[in-house]
Amino acid sequence: MERLTISEKLCYAMGGGFASNLSFYAMLVFFITYASDIYGINPATVGLITLASRGIDAFIDPVMGAIGDRTRTRLGKYRFWVITSAPVLGLTTWLVFISPDLSPTWRIIYITFIYILYSLVSTASNIPYHSLTAYITEKVNERSNIVLLKQFTGIIAQFIVSAGGIYILSAFSHTVNEQGKPVVDSHSYEFLGILFGVVTTLGFWVCAWGARRRDNWQRIQKEDAALEASQQHDDTHFIIAVFKHLALVFHSRSLACLALASAANTLSLAITSGVTVQFYTWVLHDPQLIATGALLNMVFGASMYLVVKVLVQLYGNKSGFVIICIIAIIPSLILWMTFSPDRVMYTIVLLACIMALCQSGSLITWMMVTDCADELRWKTKRNAAGIASSTLTFSNKFGSAVGAFVLGGMLDLIGYMPGMSTQSNHALHGLTFLIVMTPVCGQVISLLSMIFYSLNRKTHKEICMKLLGSGE
């Protein structure tokens, strides 16, 4: 397969990578705060809603991965789902934040239904998008490069959500306080949902347009012809074939280990990101500083991408991941032992460093999952890019769901009171612990899971040589 062009790489990264993370971080950063502080739902209930919706969604991920692998349309294999689901994802992003005037019970019912719908549509967009990583190129270096670009645009999206989101919420508020300053209200969140929904839709369409030469009807026909020639063509009914395809995931122990590591990392990121607004508001006493933290995170994240590229080139994906996990623990421990709410900039810098390191670990998992896809293809003789990618997104969503559930319960446990003018010292200490020490737990679990992950640089190279030798 020929090398990817610059425009294909940019469309893949700036399109899907940016759009996917824009919607993801909007929900991660603002959903719990919006649902509890604006829409009036108890934080613990919001945590249960998130857990339920993400749990349902997570178990749909492998099914969507298998469906993507089995899809054959004029618009391609994975591109078909990216194109058709993007506008629905944009619409549901808006619907999450529209605040319809309902009774307390119906508010819970509405937000539960619409958040589950959003999560399912997000799966239909994101699983095929991530599956394209292993499908549009078989070159390891090319995959690493587009993953780096994809995740870097994710950092940009996170910055826009964190910094731009706060600006949007202030600029489009219809409410002011006694001092004449804007107070975030339901109108602010509705505009945020509209803007992010439109940009998300357009971003996915840019991605699909850029991949048109790699995922199309002509390639599907060639693959079908190759399967028939090798007598591996499966004429089983589509639904039965999808569930048979799901079983491929059990052929890779490394994929299971990677899923555990990714879930732990995402869980810690979900808690840290979900408590950001409360921490900056009550502990550091200035929510506007979120923009400063987001900017620093983007700067540190860009620097870490260069570090990741060097580590992966020198030591391979697995060793690079282990090194990053170990390094990520250090700034959390330093901040916890030296924290003071008066040392504002010091705290913001270390928090940005912690976030950048955790995200760097997440970045490497997307390189590692393409190795797992190659292992599955070698063992099963079938394209398993969708199954491998959906297993990783399953673990990410499961981690974020558990993280949101734990966060909702912890906010209740530490005595956090939404909408109040002050918070207790116990609540302030709890917020500090959640944002500073949660990443340590995630990194420790990730490190333990790597003990049983067998795909190092040497074994993956051997698999690639076997695939090349067999003409796969």
Side-chain angles (χ1 to χ4, degrees):
M1 184 177 290
E2 63 186 68
R3 295 177 64 87
L4 294 172
T5 65
I6 294 177
S7 64
E8 287 175 328
K9 294 177 183 178
L10 289 177
C11 285
Y12 177 76
M14 295 299 295
F18 178 79
S20 174
N21 283 284
L22 189 73
S23 178
F24 172 76
Y25 280 112
M27 296 299 168
L28 195 65
V29 174
F30 293 114
F31 177 69
I32 289 181
T33 303
Y34 158 76
S36 59
D37 290 11
I38 303 298
Y39 208 43
I41 299 175
N42 181 272
T45 304
V46 178
L48 284 172
I49 292 170
T50 307
L51 178 64
S53 60
R54 286 293 186 178
I56 294 170
D57 178 37
F59 284 100
I60 297 298
D61 277 11
V63 177
M64 188 65 228
I67 290 173
D69 287 342
R70 303 284 304 183
T71 297
R72 283 154 177 78
T73 72
R74 295 285 178 179
L75 292 176
K77 183 184 293 288
Y78 305 112
R79 285 178 64 247
F80 167 80
W81 294 102
V82 173
I83 292 169
T84 56
S85 63
V88 186
L89 180 61
L91 176 63
T92 52
T93 300
W94 167 62
L95 290 175
V96 167
F97 294 111
I98 62 172
S99 302
D101 187 13
L102 302 170
S103 68
T105 300
W106 276 102
R107 288 188 180 197
I108 295 174
I109 293 172
Y110 172 80
I111 206 70
T112 301
F113 171 78
I114 210 65
Y115 194 74
I116 290 175
L117 179 61
Y118 160 81
S119 298
L120 293 176
V121 177
S122 177
T123 294
S125 300
N126 282 288
I127 297 300
Y129 164 68
H130 292 303
S131 300
L132 282 171
T133 305
Y135 191 67
I136 61 178
T137 179
E138 296 177 353
K139 299 180 184 297
V140 176
N141 288 338
E142 293 266 57
R143 288 176 177 177
S144 297
N145 288 334
I146 61 175
V147 167
L148 282 168
L149 281 172
K150 174 181 73 174
Q151 295 300 100
F152 179 71
T153 58
I155 290 290
I156 297 174
Q158 182 188 1
F159 171 72
I160 290 174
V161 169
S162 299
I166 293 296
Y167 171 78
I168 291 168
L169 293 177
S170 298
F172 292 91
S173 170
H174 288 193
T175 309
V176 295
N177 60 19
E178 295 177 354
Q179 290 76 36
K181 294 183 179 180
V183 177
V184 174
D185 58 18
S186 59
H187 300 285
S188 306
Y189 275 101
E190 182 171 1
F191 187 85
L192 181 141
I194 292 172
L195 182 60
F196 286 172
V198 170
V199 176
T200 295
T201 299
L202 295 177
F204 273 118
W205 281 347
V206 168
C207 171
W209 181 82
R212 66 194 184 282
R213 293 176 56 244
R214 308 285 175 166
D215 181 8
N216 51 43
W217 179 239
Q218 290 75 19
R219 180 175 178 182
I220 289 173
Q221 288 179 311
K222 289 180 181 179
E223 290 176 347
D224 287 344
L227 285 174
E228 290 177 355
S230 61
Q231 297 182 342
Q232 293 179 4
H233 187 70
D234 189 356
D235 291 325
T236 309
H237 187 275
F238 182 81
I239 295 177
I240 297 174
V242 163
F243 283 93
K244 285 175 61 179
H245 199 78
L246 285 172
L248 298 183
V249 72
F250 298 106
H251 290 265
S252 175
R253 184 184 69 182
S254 292
L255 185 59
C257 294
L258 179 61
L260 175 60
S262 180
N265 191 45
T266 306
L267 187 152
S268 65
L269 282 172
I271 294 177
T272 302
S273 299
V275 80
T276 296
V277 175
Q278 291 90 337
F279 178 80
Y280 275 82
T281 300
W282 298 110
V283 180
L284 299 186
H285 308 294
D286 190 356
Q288 298 300 323
L289 289 173
I290 293 176
T292 304
L295 177 61
L296 287 173
N297 181 39
M298 186 176 71
V299 173
F300 291 164
S303 302
M304 286 306 304
Y305 277 38
L306 297 177
V307 173
V308 165
K309 187 172 179 63
V310 172
L311 286 176
V312 168
Q313 288 180 338
L314 290 177
Y315 305 109
N317 291 339
K318 177 183 177 180
S319 297
F321 180 74
V322 170
I323 293 170
I324 287 293
C325 287
I326 293 173
I327 296 174
I329 294 173
I330 298 173
S332 288
L333 296 178
I334 291 174
L335 182 57
W336 179 249
M337 292 185 293
T338 61
F339 175 75
S340 169
D342 298 326
R343 305 169 72 180
V344 175
M345 189 51 64
Y346 171 80
T347 300
I348 294 174
V349 169
L350 280 181
L351 284 177
C353 183
I354 294 167
M355 185 67 75
L357 286 166
C358 291
Q359 289 168 336
S360 297
S362 179
L363 161 65
I364 300 179
T365 62
W366 285 108
M367 299 178 184
M368 296 166 75
V369 79
T370 60
D371 297 348
C372 295
D374 288 335
E375 182 188 38
L376 284 174
R377 187 155 63 97
W378 168 59
K379 287 183 174 181
T380 65
K381 309 303 180 185
R382 291 188 176 276
N383 169 48
I387 283 294
S389 297
S390 62
T391 300
L392 189 59
T393 57
F394 163 83
S395 65
N396 287 339
K397 290 178 180 179
F398 183 77
S400 66
V402 174
F405 172 71
V406 170
L407 177 57
M410 288 299 296
L411 288 175
D412 259 3
L413 184 64
I414 65 176
Y416 174 75
M417 302 296 291
M420 300 298 289
S421 57
T422 59
Q423 299 292 338
S424 67
N425 288 332
H426 180 62
L428 298 179
H429 184 78
L431 291 173
T432 304
F433 180 85
L434 287 173
I435 201 168
V436 176
M437 290 302 292
T438 302
V440 174
C441 301
Q443 302 313 307
V444 170
I445 296 173
S446 296
L447 286 170
L448 291 175
S449 69
M450 287 296 101
I451 296 174
F452 304 99
Y453 183 90
S454 60
L455 281 175
N456 55 35
R457 170 178 279 182
K458 179 181 178 181
T459 54
H460 179 246
K461 185 176 181 180
E462 291 173 352
I463 288 173
C464 290
M465 293 300 294
K466 290 174 182 177
L467 287 172
L468 184 63
S470 63
E472 289 288 332

